[in-house]
C-alpha cells in the first residue's frame, strides 16, 4: 500500500473514476487469479485454464451472435466447459489430449460465431471481439467493477475455504481418497471455480492474456517457496502487485495497453525467479497438514 | 480476392462437376495444395506431440505466430521472418527452461504464451494500420494463397519431415520410455529440444497460411483419434494423416460452399472423427472391460 500513499494526490490517477474502477476490480480479480492459479500450477492444469480462457471468447461471441448479454454467455460457457473437462478426465482431472481436442474444436466454434456475429447483425460492433480477446480494464463502469469485485471475492473465499482438502487431494490423491476426502467432487468444484475466475478476469486482461495472470504469479511463488500455504498467499500477493504495477505503468504511458503492462510485470517477476537460486530439489510434495 | 460469383456457389450433388467447378478457381487449387501439405506435416508432427503429451507447448508455439506477424509488420520486415523467429524462439525457451517436472513446464509455457500474446497486442496497438486484424491471424483465411507461398510451405514441410524421419526412431524411444532411453545413452534432452524446434518450424510454416487455430487443431485432434484406435506407430501415423487429410479436404469444400470460416469446419469435422473414435472404447468401458489400470497416482507424481 505504500506505493499508493506515496503518489501525489491532485494529479493522481486515483482521482479518476475509471482508474478507481479498474483498481477495485483489478485487485480482487488478480487476487482470485493468484489463488486459483496456484492450484492450477500445482495440479499441472494450466493448459486447462488456457482452454477455459479461450472458451470465454467463444462463449462471449456466441452470446453476441445470438443477441444475448456478452458476460452471461462468457460465464455460462466457461463453467459448462470446465465441468465437461471434468467429466472427460480421470477423477475430474482432464488430461492434456482431451483438453487439446475439445479446446481446438471450441476455438473453431469461436471463429464461427465471430463470422456469424459480424455478418448477421447490422449493428455489429467490429471491435467487440478484440475487446474480449485483449480485455478493457480501463473501460469498466462502476456497476461492472462492483460485480466483478464481488464475484472475485467469492472465488477467493471459496478457494481459501477449500484450500486444505484441495491441497491434500492435489498432492496425494490416492491417500486423500483413502482418507475419505471427496477427490472427484473437489476436482469438479475446482474446475468450476477456475471457470468463474477465467470468465471474470477476461474483463480485465482479456481471454488471450489471462493465462499469464493464472500461470506467472503461481509459477513464481512455487519457485520461491516449498511451503504450500506460504506459496498460495505469495501467489495472490504477486498477482495483485503485478496488477497494480501494470495499471499505474499503463496510466503513466498511455500508448501502452494495460493488459500488456500487466503481463510484462508478471513475466518480469517470473523471469526474475529464474535468476535466484532455486529451492532445494523441486516443489516438495510434503503433507499439507504440516503448515 | 474472392470472385463475386463464387460467394454463393451451389452444391449440385454431381461430385465431379462440383470439384471441376471449385478447382477452376486458382485460389481454391492453391488452398487445396497448401491444405494438403499442412495436413500431412501437422498430422505427423502432431502424432509425436500427442505421444509426448505436449499439446500445451504445441498450442503455445502456434499462438505466438500472432505476435511474430504483428512484430514483423511493425518493424517493416516480411511477416514470414516474424513467424519463424518467434515460433522457434518460443520453442527454444520452453525446451531450455523446462525440466522441473509437469508443474514447472505448465507454468512456464503459460507465461511464455501470455507474454508473447501481450506483446502482439502491443504491436497491434502501436501499428494502427495493421491490414489484417488479429482475428484473421488467429483464425486464418484460405483465400488468396499464392503459388510462392505454397512452394515455401512445401520446402519447409519437406525439411521438417526429413529431420523427423532422421530422429523418428530415437524420439519414439525417448518419448515412450525416457528413463530407459536415457540409460541406453539416447540423448533425451537433445531430442526434446530438436523436437520442439521442429514443432516451431512446422507451425510457423503452416500458420502464416491457415491461422494458428487450424494448425493446432490438425496437430492434436487427428493424432489423438489415431492413438485411440491403435498403439502401433506406423498404423497410427498413417491413420493420423488420413484423418487430417479428410478433415482438411472436407473443411475446404464446406468453406467454399458457405460463408463460414474454414477453421470452424476443419475443427468440427476433425472433432466429430475424434468423438466417433471414442465410441468403441466407451462401449467396452461400460461392459467393464479394458479399463485403464487405476494406479491411483496422478501422472505428475511420476516425475517427482
Amino acid at each position: 500500500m505504500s506505493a499508493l500513499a506515496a503518489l501525489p494526490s491532485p494529479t493522481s490517477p486515483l482521482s479518476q473514476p475509471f482508474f478507481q474502477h479498474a483498481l477495485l476490480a483489478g485487485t480482487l480479480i488478480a487476487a482470485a487469479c493468484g489463488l486459483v492459479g496456484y492450484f492450477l500450477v500445482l495440479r499441472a492444469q494450466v493448459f486447462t485454464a488456457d482452454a477455459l480462457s479461450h472458451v470465454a471468447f467463444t462463449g462471449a461471441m456466441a452470446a453476441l451472435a445470438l443477441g444475448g448479454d456478452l458476460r452471461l454467455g462468457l460465464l455460462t460457457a466457461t463453467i459448462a466447459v470446465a465441468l465437461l473437462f471434468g467429466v472427460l478426465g480421470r477423477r475430474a482431472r482432464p488430461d492434456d489430449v482431451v483438453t487439446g481436442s475439445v479446446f481446438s474444436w471450441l476455438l473453431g466454434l469461436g471463429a464461427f460465431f465471430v463470422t456469424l456475429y459480424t455478418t448477421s447483425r447490422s449493428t455489429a460492433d467490429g471491435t467487440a471481439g478484440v475487446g474480449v480477446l485483449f480485455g478493457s480494464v480501463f473501460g469498466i463502469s462502476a456497476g461492472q467493477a462492483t460485480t466483478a469485485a464481488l464475484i472475485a471475492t467469492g472465488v477467493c473465499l471459496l478457494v481459501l475455504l477449500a484450500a486444505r482438502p484441495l491441497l491434500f487431494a492435489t498432492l496425494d490423491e490416492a491417500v486423500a481418497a483413502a482418507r475419505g476426502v471427496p477427490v472427484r467432487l473437489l476436482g469438479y468444484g475446482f474446475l468450476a471455480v477456475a471457470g468463474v475466475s477465467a470468465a471474470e478476469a477476461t474483463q480485465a486482461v482479456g481471454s488471450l492474456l489471462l493465462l499469464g495472470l493464472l500461470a506467472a504469479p503461481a509459477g513464481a511463488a512455487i519457485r520461491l517457496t516449498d511451503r504450500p500455504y506460504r506459496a498460495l498467499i505469495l501467489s495472490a500477493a504477486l498477482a495483485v502487485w503485478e496488477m497494480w504495477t501494470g495499471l499505474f505503468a499503463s496510466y503513466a504511458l498511455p500508448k501502452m495497453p494495460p493488459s500488456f503492462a500487466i503481463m510484462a510485470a508478471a513475466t518480469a517477476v517470473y523471469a526474475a525467479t529464474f535468476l535466484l537460486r532455486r529451492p532445494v530439489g523441486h516443489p516438495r510434495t510434503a503433507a499439507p497438514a504440516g503448515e | 480476392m474472392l470472385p463475386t460469383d463464387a460467394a454463393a456457389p451451389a452444391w449440385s450433388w454431381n461430385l465431379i462437376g462440383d470439384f471441376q467447378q471449385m478447382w477452376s478457381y486458382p485460389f481454391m487449387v492453391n488452398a487445396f495444395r497448401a491444405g494438403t501439405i499442412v495436413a500431412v506435416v501437422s498430422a505427423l508432427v502432431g502424432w509425436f506431440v500427442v505421444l509426448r503429451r505436449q499439446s500445451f507447448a504445441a498450442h503455445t508455439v502456434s499462438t505466438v505466430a500472432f505476435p511474430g506477424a504483428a512484430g514483423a509488420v511493425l518493424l517493416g520486415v516480411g511477416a514470414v521472418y516474424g513467424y519463424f523467429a518467434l515460433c522457434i524462439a518460443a520453442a527454444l525457451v520452453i525446451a531450455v527452461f523446462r525440466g522441473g517436472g509437469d508443474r514447472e513446464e505448465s507454468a512456464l509455457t503459460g507465461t511464455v504464451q501470455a507474454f508473447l500474446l501481450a506483446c502482439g497486442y502491443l504491436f497491434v496497438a502501436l501499428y494502427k494500420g495493421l491490414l489484417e486484424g488479429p482475428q484473421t491471424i488467429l483464425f486464418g483465411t484460405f483465400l488468396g494463397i499464392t503459388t510462392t507461398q505454397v512452394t515455401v510451405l512445401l520446402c519447409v514441410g519437406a525439411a521438417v519431415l526429413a529431420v523427423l524421419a532422421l530422429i523418428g526412431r530415437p524420439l519414439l524411444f525417448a518419448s515412450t520410455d525416457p528413463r530407459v532411453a536415457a540409460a541406453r545413452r539416447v540423448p533425451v534432452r537433445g531430442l526434446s529440444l530438436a523436437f520442439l524446434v521442429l514443432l516451431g518450424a512446422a507451425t510457423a510454416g503452416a500458420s502464416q497460411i491457415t491461422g494458428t487455430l487450424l494448425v493446432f487443431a490438425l496437430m492434436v485432434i487427428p493424432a489423438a483419434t489415431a492413438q485411440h484406435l491403435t498403439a502401433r506407430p506406423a498404423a497410427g501415423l498413417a491413420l493420423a494423416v488420413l484423418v487430417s487429410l479428410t478433415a482438411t479436404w472436407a473443411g475446404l469444400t464446406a468453406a467454399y460452399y458457405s460463408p463460414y470460416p474454414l477453421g470452424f469446419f476443419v475443427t468440427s469435422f476433425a472433432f466429430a472423427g475424434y468423438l466417433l473414435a471414442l465410441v468403441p472404447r466407451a462401449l467396452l468401458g461400460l461392459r467393464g472391460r479394458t479399463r485403464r489400470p487405476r494406479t491411483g497416482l496422478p501422472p505428475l507424481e511420476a516425475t517427482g
Side-chain angles (χ1 to χ4, degrees):
Chain A
M1 291 302 272
S2 60
L4 297 185
L7 284 159
S9 50
T11 55
S12 147
L14 293 176
S15 56
Q16 311 269 4
F18 81 93
F19 197 87
Q20 292 165 356
H21 301 156
L23 201 63
L24 170 69
T27 306
L28 285 157
I29 287 173
C33 284
L35 294 176
V36 171
Y38 174 70
F39 284 103
L40 283 171
V41 172
L42 211 56
R43 295 165 77 87
Q45 280 183 348
V46 178
F47 189 34
T48 311
D50 186 18
L52 287 180
S53 63
H54 287 79
V55 169
F57 173 72
T58 303
M61 287 299 115
L64 283 180
L66 304 173
D69 181 54
L70 183 145
R71 282 179 303 150
L72 197 66
L74 201 135
L75 199 67
T76 324
T78 39
I79 298 177
V81 172
L83 294 177
L84 175 73
F85 280 142
V87 174
L88 290 172
R90 197 179 56 87
R91 287 198 190 189
R93 271 195 190 200
D95 99 313
D96 184 71
V97 176
V98 169
T99 309
S101 307
V102 176
F103 175 20
S104 23
W105 179 57
L106 285 163
L107 275 174
L109 217 54
F112 171 73
F113 284 124
V114 169
T115 315
L116 196 64
Y117 173 59
T118 46
T119 53
S120 71
R121 303 199 159 253
S122 51
T123 54
D125 169 12
T127 59
V130 179
V132 175
L133 285 173
F134 294 108
S136 47
V137 71
F138 282 161
I140 49 185
S141 69
Q144 286 171 326
T146 319
T147 319
L150 283 177
I151 294 179
T153 314
V155 167
C156 289
L157 287 178
L158 272 177
V159 174
L160 288 175
L161 278 177
R164 222 180 113 90
L166 194 57
L167 265 175
F168 195 12
T170 301
L171 296 174
D172 204 336
E173 200 177 36
V175 176
R179 290 253 189 103
V181 175
V183 173
R184 272 190 82 87
L185 190 69
L186 277 173
Y188 282 120
F190 176 65
L191 282 171
V193 168
V196 175
S197 44
E200 265 318 294
T202 301
Q203 280 194 334
V205 288
S207 73
L208 284 183
L209 309 182
L210 78 91
L211 187 62
L213 212 49
L214 289 167
I222 284 182
R223 290 188 72 87
L224 291 174
T225 173
D226 281 348
R227 315 267 298 267
Y229 289 106
R230 200 175 284 177
L232 182 64
I233 299 306
L234 185 60
S235 171
L238 281 177
V240 169
W241 182 82
E242 288 155 5
M243 174 66 80
W244 288 348
T245 312
L247 289 178
F248 282 104
S250 169
Y251 185 85
L253 292 169
K255 269 205 147 178
M256 193 161 58
S259 304
F260 171 78
I262 296 163
M263 283 310 118
T267 310
V269 170
Y270 183 62
T273 60
F274 278 87
L275 300 176
L276 300 171
R277 202 181 65 84
R278 37 166 316 123
V280 193
H282 72 93
R284 287 291 150 122
T285 47
E291 187 78 337
Chain B
M1 197 60 205
L2 182 69
T4 41
D5 59 334
W11 177 257
S12 66
W13 291 110
N14 168 13
L15 290 180
I16 298 170
D18 283 337
F19 275 93
Q20 272 174 348
Q21 195 225 348
M22 185 160 67
W23 284 337
S24 66
Y25 296 110
F27 80 92
M28 272 320 283
V29 175
N30 274 343
F32 265 86
R33 283 181 189 148
T36 306
I37 302 169
V38 171
V40 172
V41 174
S42 316
L44 293 175
V45 174
W47 191 82
F48 285 96
V49 168
V50 170
L51 186 70
R52 299 170 63 81
R53 297 280 182 258
Q54 282 188 323
S55 318
F56 191 22
H59 177 240
T60 299
V61 170
S62 62
T63 308
V64 302
F66 162 60
V73 171
L74 184 66
L75 291 176
V77 296
V80 189
Y81 301 106
Y83 279 110
F84 279 97
L86 266 203
C87 289
I88 294 179
L92 279 175
V93 169
I94 296 172
V96 169
F97 289 104
R98 70 191 285 239
D102 283 357
R103 293 168 188 168
E104 293 272 326
E105 189 181 350
S106 145
L108 172 72
T109 313
T111 311
V112 168
Q113 184 187 337
F115 178 64
L116 288 177
L117 277 175
C119 290
Y121 182 42
L122 178 71
F123 298 151
V124 173
L126 291 177
Y127 188 92
K128 296 286 186 200
L130 192 66
L131 282 174
E132 301 148 302
Q135 282 166 7
T136 310
I137 301 178
L138 288 170
F139 298 122
T141 169
F142 65 107
L143 305 172
I145 298 170
T146 63
T147 312
T148 323
Q149 279 179 310
V150 175
T151 316
V152 171
L153 192 62
L154 187 64
C155 295
V156 173
V160 166
L161 290 188
V163 178
L164 192 65
L166 274 179
I167 66 168
R169 280 190 74 85
L171 184 65
L172 186 62
F173 190 16
S175 308
T176 43
D177 202 338
R179 281 171 203 196
V180 176
R184 292 256 188 102
R185 295 170 191 238
V186 173
V188 177
R189 261 191 85 86
L191 280 172
S192 150
L193 183 81
F195 178 68
L196 276 167
V197 172
L198 270 190
L199 181 64
T203 316
S207 56
Q208 53 185 308
I209 290 178
T210 59
T212 67
L213 151 78
L214 200 53
V215 187
F216 172 62
L218 287 178
M219 277 189 177
V220 176
I221 309 183
T225 313
Q227 291 189 11
H228 253 289
L229 296 175
T230 173
R232 304 216 319 268
L237 286 167
L239 200 57
V241 171
L242 185 72
V243 174
S244 172
L245 278 179
T246 313
T248 309
W249 287 342
L252 277 167
T253 312
Y256 174 75
Y257 284 104
S258 86
Y260 300 112
L262 174 67
F264 164 67
F265 288 113
V266 175
T267 51
S268 296
F269 291 142
F271 190 65
Y274 174 73
L275 289 183
L276 276 182
L278 289 181
V279 169
R281 177 161 299 196
L283 290 180
L284 286 176
L286 282 182
R287 289 165 58 193
R289 290 166 52 195
T290 65
R291 268 262 187 227
R292 252 179 286 167
R294 296 218 175 181
T295 55
L297 285 180
L300 61 96
E301 298 296 326
T303 56

